[in-house]
Amino acid sequence: MSRYERWNGILELLSQEGRLSVEEAAQALDVSTATIRRDFDQLAQQQMLMRTRGGAVAQSVSYDLPLRYKTARHTDEKQRIAAAAAELVEPGAVVGMNGGTTTSELARALAIRATQESGFTVVTNALNIAAELTVRRHVKIVVTGGVARPQSYELIGPLASGVLEQVTLDVAFLGVDGIDADLGASAHHEGEAGVNHLLVSRAEHVVAVADSSKVGRRAFARICPIGEIDTLVTDDRLSDDLAARLTDTGVKVVRA
């Protein structure tokens, strides 16, 4: 298990329990207590948790894992989803993309496909995606303004909206924290949800990209109703029941 996988595991346990002892974490992650103590100390230095005698507690602020600690989750599924989603993009298309681990994988998949004859324009509010694609010769990058959220590297607020209101998109790829047949697509943070909703409104075709763990779940802030999503690209672990519920709403479900 890598360091980031351990950190992700520790933060997940803390988000569920609120408090965690060194021994509990060591047993749950099958590593030594010495390793857990070092991890606790390093995460405390980054203000991701608070150290206590013999353990740690979650920060009192709203708990949200930064993107870099989420990269270990469902990695294979995300890469398959990204590859399938990239096939939906026509050469020369204008592609909108919000932040997230799955959309980051999609950006890499698109970059591999881009050539002089079949490049893309990518409009994004995700700083990490913009930075990664800027060096790609056949990908044109348009970045929104806004205030950066360190948890997701996304730009949010009125400055982000100002740019999105001036563009039109052939397809928007939407990373979500939850997608539900009744509520629609949702995000943990209302600022992200607002910018993502505008991204959806500027697109001719809207594709949600999410691993199956997010399907049937609801997050705090709604991005858009289910009727505004044309396609969901997910992994093959999605149950037939959940797939059928989404299909009944008019969403095309692609299982990669």
Side-chain angles (χ1 to χ4, degrees):
M1 181 181 290
S2 71
R3 177 178 61 176
Y4 287 125
E5 288 175 320
R6 291 197 313 272
W7 287 4
N8 183 68
I10 289 168
L11 293 171
E12 286 280 16
L13 289 168
L14 274 176
S15 69
Q16 297 167 12
E17 305 297 334
R19 181 179 297 272
L20 195 62
S21 71
V22 170
E23 290 75 16
E24 288 169 339
Q27 183 177 6
L29 300 178
D30 195 25
V31 296
S32 69
T33 54
T35 296
I36 292 297
R37 288 190 183 94
R38 286 195 298 271
D39 289 340
F40 278 1
D41 290 341
Q42 290 168 337
L43 288 169
Q45 290 173 4
Q46 298 182 57
Q47 298 182 328
M48 295 302 300
L49 54 76
M50 294 176 61
R51 280 293 261 130
T52 62
R53 185 184 179 96
V57 296
Q59 290 279 42
S60 59
V61 297
S62 177
Y63 203 85
D64 194 7
L65 298 185
L67 182 66
R68 62 184 179 274
Y69 299 129
K70 294 181 179 178
T71 54
R73 295 180 182 170
H74 311 290
T75 303
D76 291 340
E77 289 91 339
K78 292 177 190 294
Q79 290 174 347
R80 295 201 308 271
I81 291 166
E87 294 294 328
L88 302 176
V89 181
E90 298 291 335
V94 180
V95 180
M97 201 177 299
N98 67 345
T101 52
T102 307
T103 49
S104 295
E105 289 290 351
L106 173 58
R108 297 179 189 115
L110 286 175
I112 292 171
R113 294 184 62 206
T115 65
Q116 186 172 359
E117 293 76 27
S118 60
F120 308 102
T121 296
V122 174
V123 180
T124 186
N125 68 325
L127 292 171
N128 64 305
I129 289 175
E132 190 160 337
L133 293 184
T134 296
V135 297
R136 303 287 186 166
R137 291 181 55 194
H138 305 303
V139 181
K140 177 181 177 180
I141 295 294
V142 178
V143 185
T144 71
V147 178
R149 287 198 74 229
Q151 291 88 345
S152 64
Y153 306 147
E154 286 186 86
L155 298 168
I156 62 173
L159 292 175
S161 302
V163 170
L164 289 175
E165 288 170 351
Q166 304 303 314
V167 301
T168 57
L169 310 171
D170 295 309
V171 57
F173 289 100
L174 193 65
V176 301
D177 293 314
I179 181 167
D180 177 79
D182 296 319
L183 179 70
S186 53
H188 290 312
H189 190 271
E190 66 279 4
E192 289 180 7
V195 174
N196 295 343
H197 176 72
L198 185 54
L199 191 74
V200 167
S201 73
R202 307 305 297 170
E204 182 177 343
H205 191 83
V206 178
V207 181
V209 288
D211 64 72
S212 56
S213 70
K214 296 178 180 178
V215 182
R217 292 180 57 185
R218 300 181 178 191
F220 172 69
R222 185 163 82 162
I223 297 170
C224 65
I226 198 68
E228 294 184 18
I229 296 174
D230 300 296
T231 304
L232 167 67
V233 183
T234 186
D235 59 73
D236 56 10
R237 296 185 182 185
L238 180 68
S239 70
D240 291 339
D241 178 60
L242 285 174
R245 290 193 63 197
L246 288 167
T247 301
D248 288 343
T249 68
V251 175
K252 179 181 179 181
V253 177
V254 177
R255 288 187 272 196

